[in-house]
């Protein structure tokens, strides 16, 4: 572990373009999941810090930011993207240390963050209004306008990617943002704020208040000065956020995870499918909202798929983030307890295979051996609840109708994939699967920043990523001129 990469003071908040002490002067320990040590102290922001941040954002909406043209805004976002690229290795090391994710996966997140800023920088001047043919003597047109102050409450699993997709899109539309990163991982959020400052983002346009969810998070989501809230995290907190937003009558985007299935038919290209079947379950130690935790396999190829997945599981190496193995630790001792609790609930099931925690993994790290369960009934808790750890279940099915009914048989609906060579089946299932994204003969499509993303059911609502996000992060005004 090395703190040399932290070029800013992580115990401060970033408000109004400056690094400031939290008003109450309190801090929290930031843990390293790979060895359980404390990396540094971070600010324990609270109500007053959030008040200051919202006020700074509001002020920024009356400053140079408001007068900037869309191409000028876009150019600043692109410049932030370039600085992210220039610092990608440092950001990757910060994220690996803070989140525990293997270095290569952390680097991919840094590159994705740069790509989000490029994409939204380029998109800033491309969302146009319409003219509407209307009554004689009228000219009617629509204007896309920012909401104003947007609140962003993000989790610890993909800080850089989630900052890119939510803050990037919000800024592209001319909003000002207040970001509350997760207590358990906030180094790259603070680093990003400093890079944005270096790129010339006007003061107050982006503010970061670290702290506890129940304090800084609750203060932000309940704040009467916040005009839109974007939240990624658990279903329980998502419900709270939506309830609080109802008090202020503001829109919310909720991204709450899933129980995403992959459907493997007898005619599938199993060689092509195998790496996706396993990686989609163990990437970032399974702590991925779009993780694929259910593998549904038609009976004709069930044994082959299970055996070959099990062989891959047997090869999975688990260890510290900096060792850059297949799987890192979980984020915290608490998350490890939750995941081990789920694995214990599978005691009566067939444990088809497990990965290995390397022998020199530090004792204090939060390691869990990836576990593959077979012979799981679709209603079992392991096949219904989001585990958020490296655990997958393999479920057999007879025909397409049964596969669809199992796939759609949870309360979630985030992502799904179909492995089959039959085009008509691909089209039928793409329509019938309850999910915000469906992949045909792949899973995740490389994570593309261009691809709109979001869920249905308990997975939440609203879309982030891609051009689509710009609609959510803006509001529409209709102008009707009567000129005769
Ligand atoms: P979480 O509690 O929902 O945390 C997400 C964010 O919300 C964090 O920034 C958190 O702050 C904040 N928060 C917590 N309570 C809040 C409140 N009352 N008001 C406003 N903000 C609040 O999620 P978690 O505890 O980190 O993880 C628990 C479970 O959530 C996981 O096991 C997983 O199932 C799910 N999860 C899903 C995703 C996803 O990508 N969909 C991501 C993470 C977790 P603090 O962390 O600082 O308290
Ligand atoms: Mg941490």
């Amino acid at each position: 572990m090395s703190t040399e990469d932290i070029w800013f003071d992580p115990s401060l908040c970033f408000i109004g373009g400056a690094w400031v002490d939290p008003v109450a002067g309190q801090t929290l320990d930031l843990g390293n999941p790979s060895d359980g040590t404390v990396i540094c102290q971070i600010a324990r922001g609270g109500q007053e810090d959030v008040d200051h941040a919202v006020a700074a954002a509001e002020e920024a909406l009356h400053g140079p930011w408001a007068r900037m043209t869309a191409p000028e805004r876009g150019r600043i976002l692109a410049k932030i993207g370039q600085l992210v690229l220039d610092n990608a290795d440092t950001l990757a090391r910060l994220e690996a240390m803070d989140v525990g994710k293997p270095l290569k996966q952390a680097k991919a997140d840094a590159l994705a963050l740069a790509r989000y800023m490029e994409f939204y920088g380029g998109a800033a001047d491309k969302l146009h209004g319409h003219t509407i043919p209307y009554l004689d003597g009228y000219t009617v047109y629509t204007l896309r306008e920012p909401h104003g102050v947007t609140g962003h409450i993000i989790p610890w699993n993909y800080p850089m990617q989630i900052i890119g997709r939510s803050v990037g899109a919000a800024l592209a539309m001319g909003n000002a943002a207040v970001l509350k990163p997760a207590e358990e991982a906030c180094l790259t959020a603070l680093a990003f704020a400093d890079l944005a400052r270096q790129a010339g983002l006007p003061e107050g346009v982006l503010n970061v208040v670290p702290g506890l969810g129940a304090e800084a998070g609750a203060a932000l989501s309940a704040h009467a000065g916040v005009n839109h809230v974007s939240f990624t995290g658990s279903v329980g907190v998502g419900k709270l956020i939506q309830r609080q937003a109802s008090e202020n009558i503001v829109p919310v985007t909720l991204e709450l995870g899933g129980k995403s299935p992959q459907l493997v038919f007898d005619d599938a290209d199993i060689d092509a499918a195998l790496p996706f079947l396993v990686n989609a379950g163990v990437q970032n130690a399974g702590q991925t909202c779009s993780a694929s935790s259910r593998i549904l396999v038609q009976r004709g190829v069930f044994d082959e798929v299970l055996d070959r997945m099990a062989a891959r599981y047997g090869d999975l190496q688990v260890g510290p983030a900096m060792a850059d193995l297949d799987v890192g630790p979980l984020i915290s001792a608490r998350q490890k307890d939750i995941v081990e609790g789920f694995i214990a609930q599978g005691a009566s099931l067939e444990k088809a295979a497990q990965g290995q925690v390397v022998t020199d993994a530090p004792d204090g790290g939060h390691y869990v051996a990836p576990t593959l369960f077979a012979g799981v009934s679709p209603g079992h808790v392991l096949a219904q609840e989001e585990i958020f750890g490296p655990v997958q279940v393999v479920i057999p099915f007879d025909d397409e109708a049964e596969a669809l009914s199992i796939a759609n048989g949870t309360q979630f609906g985030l992502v799904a994939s179909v492995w089959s060579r039959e085009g008509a089946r691909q089209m039928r299932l793409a329509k019938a699967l309850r999910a915000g994204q469906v992949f045909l003969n792949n899973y995740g499509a490389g994570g593309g920043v261009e691809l709109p993303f979001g869920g249905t059911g308990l997975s939440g609502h609203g879309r982030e990523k891609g051009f689509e996000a710009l609609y959510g992060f803006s509001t529409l005004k209709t102008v009707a001129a009567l000129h005769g």
Side-chain angles (χ1 to χ4, degrees):
M1 187 201 78
S2 163
T3 51
E4 284 159 25
D5 288 315
I6 308 175
W7 74 83
F8 46 90
D9 183 344
S11 68
L12 303 178
C13 304
F14 184 76
I15 298 175
W19 293 99
V20 295
D21 281 308
V23 172
Q26 295 191 327
T27 57
L28 299 163
D29 289 344
L30 187 69
N32 179 339
S34 292
D35 58 16
T37 59
V38 173
I39 299 170
C40 60
Q41 303 293 305
I42 59 162
R44 179 174 176 174
Q47 181 72 52
E48 286 175 284
D49 304 293
V50 168
D51 288 346
H52 291 163
V54 171
E58 181 62 41
E59 205 178 319
L61 290 167
H62 302 287
W65 187 240
R67 293 187 294 276
M68 242 176 236
T69 62
E72 286 169 337
R73 278 202 311 270
R75 213 169 283 141
I76 291 181
L77 295 193
K79 193 159 174 201
I80 299 174
Q82 185 58 51
L83 286 179
V84 169
L85 267 188
D86 295 345
N87 291 277
D89 288 319
T90 306
L91 291 168
R93 286 193 298 273
L94 290 178
E95 198 82 309
M97 176 167 65
D98 197 357
V99 178
K101 65 174 69 186
L103 201 53
K104 254 196 267 8
Q105 295 180 33
K107 178 75 181 279
D109 288 0
L111 298 181
L113 172 57
R115 183 69 198 109
Y116 276 113
M117 302 316 287
E118 285 168 6
F119 179 86
Y120 286 118
D125 58 357
K126 293 180 184 60
L127 183 54
H128 306 153
H130 297 285
T131 54
I132 301 174
Y134 193 53
L135 303 176
D136 185 38
Y138 279 89
T139 295
V140 180
Y141 59 95
T142 60
L143 296 172
R144 277 272 157 201
E145 299 184 333
H147 290 295
V149 178
T150 54
H152 304 256
I153 299 175
I154 67 165
W156 39 262
N157 55 346
Y158 288 86
M160 283 195 277
Q161 295 223 27
I162 298 172
I163 289 168
R165 78 184 192 208
S166 74
V167 174
L171 298 190
M173 292 313 296
N175 297 284
V178 179
L179 168 64
K180 206 301 277 178
E183 165 213 351
E184 282 148 325
C186 60
L187 289 180
T188 53
L190 296 167
F192 178 77
D194 200 59
L195 295 178
R197 179 189 62 77
Q198 291 175 30
L201 188 72
E203 56 190 47
V205 175
L206 171 63
N207 307 275
V208 184
V209 181
L212 298 173
E215 298 175 2
L220 181 59
S221 60
H223 206 289
V226 172
N227 309 111
H228 179 284
V229 179
S230 167
F231 172 78
T232 303
S234 61
V235 174
V237 177
K239 287 181 182 174
L240 281 177
I241 302 276
Q242 183 151 343
R243 224 174 277 142
Q244 282 163 340
S246 80
E247 289 298 323
N248 297 327
I249 316 287
V250 295
V252 288
T253 302
L254 298 179
E255 206 278 88
L256 310 177
K259 195 69 194 172
S260 299
Q262 300 196 58
L263 284 56
V264 186
F265 286 85
D266 285 347
D267 69 337
D269 179 345
I270 293 170
D271 290 341
L274 267 169
F276 290 90
L277 297 180
V278 174
N279 290 352
V282 302
Q283 183 184 325
N284 201 29
Q287 303 165 119
T288 304
C289 42
S290 56
S292 176
S293 47
R294 295 185 298 150
I295 308 297
L296 282 44
V297 188
Q298 200 162 13
R299 287 193 191 275
V301 290
F302 186 84
D303 289 344
E304 181 190 352
V305 170
L306 181 60
D307 288 351
R308 293 180 67 183
M309 284 185 73
R312 283 181 171 261
Y313 260 75
D315 289 341
L316 290 174
Q317 299 258 305
V318 186
M322 294 304 176
D324 208 11
L325 305 173
D326 304 300
V327 179
L330 298 188
I331 186 72
S332 61
R334 172 175 159 261
Q335 193 67 17
K336 179 177 159 154
D337 282 348
I338 293 173
V339 173
E340 287 179 343
F342 275 112
I343 293 175
Q345 291 192 65
S348 63
L349 302 171
E350 177 195 345
K351 219 180 255 180
Q354 281 195 302
Q356 297 293 324
V357 180
V358 294
T359 49
D360 57 353
D363 286 341
H366 314 304
Y367 300 100
V368 170
T371 306
L372 182 69
F373 286 101
V376 182
S377 72
H380 192 281
V381 60
L382 295 189
Q384 286 291 323
E385 289 191 24
E386 183 177 51
I387 296 172
F388 236 57
V391 178
Q392 288 178 297
V393 299
V394 189
I395 304 172
F397 67 83
D398 283 316
D399 56 21
E400 187 178 311
E402 189 188 8
L404 181 64
S405 136
I406 296 171
N408 285 351
T410 75
Q411 290 187 284
F412 294 98
L414 192 59
V415 167
S417 99
V418 178
W419 295 91
S420 167
R421 288 186 168 92
E422 195 195 319
R425 168 183 289 148
Q426 295 167 10
M427 297 302 112
R428 278 193 301 272
L429 287 174
K431 282 190 175 173
L433 283 163
R434 189 164 173 264
Q437 286 187 328
V438 174
F439 300 106
L440 304 174
N441 293 319
N442 76 95
Y443 193 90
V449 308
E450 302 85 346
L451 312 181
F453 176 73
T456 181
L458 286 193
S459 294
H461 54 74
R463 295 292 175 265
E464 289 188 342
K465 301 181 62 171
F467 202 75
E468 189 70 24
L470 301 177
Y471 294 99
F473 281 109
S474 61
T475 181
L476 188 82
K477 178 184 284 172
T478 304
V479 181
L482 175 57
H483 41 68

